[in-house]
Amino acid sequence: MMLWTVEPFDRIFPTDIPETVTMDIKGGFLEGRMTPSGFSVSRLVSTDLKNYLKSEYSPGYIRKR
C-alpha cells in the first residue's frame, strides 16, 4: 500500500506516544494519560453499565489531581 501525502512522516506516524496510565474505579478502570492539569480519560472499561452514563468517566474529561 502506498501513501501519497505532503504531510511529514512524523505527523502521520508519531514516534512519541504518551504513556498510558490506568486508574481503578468501582466496577472497572479508566485508561488515559497524565497531563499538567490532571488525568485525561481516554477509555472506560467497566462491568457496571451505570458507569458509562457518568460524565466524569467520558473520554476527554480531565480529573483534577
Side-chain angles (χ1 to χ4, degrees):
M1 181 172 126
M2 297 296 290
L3 176 63
W4 299 95
T5 181
V6 296
E7 295 293 326
F9 184 80
D10 292 337
R11 186 165 182 178
I12 298 170
F13 303 106
T15 57
D16 57 336
I17 300 172
E19 181 180 343
T20 303
V21 179
T22 59
M23 179 182 288
D24 291 330
I25 59 169
K26 185 178 178 186
F29 65 91
L30 295 172
E31 188 177 273
R33 61 186 178 92
M34 293 304 292
T35 63
S37 54
F39 180 79
S40 176
V41 177
S42 61
R43 184 169 83 144
L44 166 66
V45 178
S46 177
T47 56
D48 186 359
L49 297 178
K50 292 180 184 176
N51 283 344
Y52 290 92
L53 300 175
K54 296 180 180 177
S55 63
E56 63 267 17
Y57 297 157
S58 63
Y61 185 83
I62 297 179
R63 298 175 62 106
K64 304 294 181 198
R65 292 181 184 208

